[in-house]
Amino acid sequence: MTIHNPPSPVPETPAQSSGTSGPRSLRRHPETIALHGGSFRFDPVSGAVAVPIYQTTSFQLPGTEGADKLFALEAAGHLYTRVSNPTQDAFEQRLAELESGAAALALASGQAASAFAILNLARAGDNIVSAAGLYGGTWALFAATLKSFGIETRFVDAADPEAFARATDDRTRAYYAESLPNPKLEVFPIAEVAEVGRRFGIPLIVDNTAAPLVIRPLEHGAAIVVYSTTKYIGGHGTSIGGAIVDGGTFPWKDLANRFPTLHEPDPSYHGKTWIEKAAAIDFHPYILRVRAVLLRDIGAAISPQNAFQFIQGLETLPLRLRQHNENAVKVAEFLKNHPKVSRVIFPKFQTGAAGERAEKYLRNGYYGALVGFELRDGREAGRSFIDNLQLLYHVANIGDARSLAIHPSTTTHSQLTAEEQLATGVTPGYVRLSIGLEHWEDIVADIAQALEAA
Ligand code: PLP
């Protein structure tokens, strides 16, 4: 299995700050990394410059001695596509470099990424502290499924970073939050909560699905980033996938009591600890263990075909985000002046602490492409608006090239109680839009006619 997937070395020539990377290194711009990041340059067999889809389950092993080393994780190479594959590897390297991370693991879905990100650290009897503003599926994972595994989630208000400290005890293994949680669309205080985590030796895991490149969690102190690559990274609504990116700087090795999964001997690897295994190959213990234990045992592997789709998606991600953002601003401004709309939820319009965080964390004047609004006439008006749309699709997704709309309280968040819905920011008249790449005038025209009819 290829476990060594650090980004390719810093290029010699454009020794120029990327404008998106922090002080870590002088790096190429994201537009360039999206096309060239990682060690893949061309296929050594055919010379193909596009990453081939290695549609194979298994890989020919070297002689028996080489095979021993591969299975013991002492040598880099692929064994079996459940655990690694060259197409997946190329995607992981490119994504890790784009995120200024050390290494990445691609998975079958965003849900697998968030579940594995936690299960890599927490076991029965442990807890995590999470911001309450979460995607409904993540909420259900934490509040019900992880609970049934004996892992407690303590939900706190993201607006109060010290709430994370108050909810922490000796069995707390991670903090978790979305960088730009919908439906509230208030940017999470990444640096502030990462700082609280440093006091206790707890990593902050940030789901950056709604804001790749726009928010840079690792540069603000997060330890791990997770993605549903299904959204903006894929970009075309064709493929389900997820990823975990390890920033490579969290001091796991110094925190033996806090992280037993990394520090206790693992019987399935001859009684070695993951700290030892990683040190032996000069790699990162967190991301090494997710692959070698959770992906090995639970599966949730990304298919080579989907890994290819996400490589394609990355290539145009910076370009697409620019247009998504421009269109979203136009739509938000239109809604702000509409008499049937009581409130528009969009980072550009936020004031107070939320406005300050939007200013601090959102880059280059981007606000993301999610726009929420509330209809004055509540739930029935929200439903009627959706039913009258002609151009925008009514689907439970975000980050598609097409514009999408949904009424969360009766769909994505319907499994939550009314109280839980309000805690995540879903009111009865709330409509969420994911603004796509159509001409903005056509998007606005469709919204205008659906509002008239609502
Ligand atoms: N995280 C966020 C913020 C999401 O919006 C979603 C899906 O909507 C997920 C995670 C789950 O991703 P997937 O559908 O790829 O499993």
Side-chain angles (χ1 to χ4, degrees):
M1 96 184 46
T2 285
I3 44 181
H4 306 265
N5 65 356
S8 55
V10 176
E12 277 172 15
T13 28
Q16 165 192 1
S17 172
S18 70
T20 61
S21 68
R24 287 167 173 253
S25 60
L26 295 171
R27 289 156 36 86
R28 286 177 170 163
H29 295 77
E31 289 83 351
T32 310
I33 298 171
L35 287 152
H36 296 274
S39 60
F40 181 90
R41 179 75 185 152
F42 56 84
D43 177 49
V45 175
S46 64
V49 296
V51 179
I53 303 170
Y54 288 91
Q55 192 70 38
T56 180
T57 57
S58 324
F59 300 85
Q60 166 76 0
L61 298 172
T64 49
E65 202 177 313
D68 291 352
K69 286 207 161 62
L70 276 176
F71 276 91
L73 308 181
E74 286 160 9
H78 302 288
L79 296 169
Y80 190 56
T81 287
R82 170 153 39 79
V83 181
S84 76
N85 171 288
T87 316
Q88 170 190 353
D89 185 33
F91 171 50
E92 288 165 348
Q93 290 191 33
R94 213 159 273 181
L95 181 64
E97 189 169 337
L98 203 53
E99 195 69 40
S100 305
L105 174 66
L107 291 161
S109 67
Q111 284 300 100
S114 25
F116 279 19
I118 302 298
L119 291 173
N120 200 37
L121 299 173
R123 303 189 294 202
D126 295 340
N127 66 75
I128 62 167
V129 183
S130 174
L134 290 175
Y135 160 62
T138 311
W139 178 285
L141 168 71
F142 289 0
T145 303
L146 290 188
K147 189 175 175 196
S148 76
F149 294 179
I151 299 166
E152 181 198 354
T153 301
R154 301 172 176 179
F155 292 104
V156 297
D157 178 2
D160 175 13
E162 283 302 317
F164 282 79
R166 289 193 294 277
T168 300
D169 66 19
D170 288 349
R171 300 291 296 267
T172 304
R173 303 292 178 229
Y175 294 162
Y176 191 96
E178 289 177 17
S179 56
L180 182 61
N182 76 78
K184 278 190 185 167
L185 299 178
E186 289 181 4
V187 179
F188 181 76
I190 301 170
E192 294 80 345
V193 175
E195 181 53 38
V196 173
R198 265 191 291 280
R199 298 206 308 254
F200 297 96
I202 294 176
L204 172 62
I205 301 172
V206 176
D207 178 340
N208 201 34
T209 297
L213 296 178
V214 175
I215 298 179
R216 310 278 292 162
L218 297 178
E219 289 168 10
H220 294 288
I224 303 291
V225 173
V226 298
Y227 279 109
S228 165
T229 56
T230 311
K231 319 296 181 199
Y232 292 99
I233 290 176
H236 297 81
T238 62
S239 316
I240 301 282
I244 303 177
V245 183
D246 185 338
T249 56
F250 193 80
W252 311 103
K253 119 172 134 22
D254 306 331
L255 296 159
N257 292 336
R258 185 63 76 185
F259 302 113
T261 59
L262 301 177
H263 282 268
E264 285 178 5
D266 186 335
S268 74
Y269 276 96
H270 306 296
K272 287 258 166 48
T273 73
W274 287 100
I275 297 291
E276 289 165 346
K277 294 274 325 162
I281 54 170
D282 194 22
F283 200 58
H284 304 281
Y286 176 91
I287 202 81
L288 178 64
R289 186 184 184 275
V290 194
R291 185 194 298 277
V293 176
L294 293 170
L295 189 53
R296 177 198 63 183
D297 296 352
I298 304 181
I302 192 167
S303 69
Q305 175 74 44
N306 278 6
F308 173 82
Q309 295 291 354
F310 296 125
I311 292 169
Q312 289 293 103
L314 280 186
E315 291 191 354
T316 54
L317 178 67
L319 194 61
R320 283 186 286 108
L321 283 177
R322 221 168 285 156
Q323 195 61 44
H324 276 294
N325 180 74
E326 269 181 45
N327 286 357
V329 170
K330 300 267 200 227
V331 168
E333 274 164 2
F334 165 79
L335 288 167
K336 205 170 159 209
N337 298 317
H338 199 284
K340 288 195 175 178
V341 173
S342 54
R343 196 160 77 96
V344 178
I345 297 97
F346 190 59
K348 185 168 197 257
F349 303 148
Q350 287 160 359
T351 53
E356 280 166 28
R357 290 202 301 272
E359 177 77 16
K360 174 173 175 180
Y361 291 106
L362 293 165
R363 303 183 66 92
N364 305 332
Y366 284 19
Y367 301 98
L370 301 178
V371 182
F373 66 97
E374 276 174 27
L375 281 146
R376 273 187 213 290
D377 294 337
R379 179 188 157 97
E380 285 319 308
R383 288 169 73 87
S384 163
F385 169 80
I386 297 282
D387 286 336
N388 281 292
L389 288 169
Q390 292 167 10
L391 179 75
L392 274 70
Y393 284 92
H394 177 209
V395 298
N397 193 20
I398 58 170
D400 195 313
R402 304 157 191 84
S403 292
L404 316 172
I406 200 150
H407 182 236
S409 84
T410 52
T411 56
T412 51
H413 288 62
S414 59
Q415 285 145 19
L416 277 58
T417 64
E419 252 176 27
E420 286 171 344
Q421 285 197 5
L422 284 181
T424 65
V426 173
T427 56
Y430 183 96
V431 173
R432 181 190 76 204
L433 304 175
S434 170
I435 300 302
L437 302 176
E438 302 92 343
H439 194 286
W440 70 268
E441 286 175 350
D442 298 328
I443 304 171
V444 166
D446 192 40
I447 293 171
Q449 67 77 24
L451 280 172
E452 278 323 304

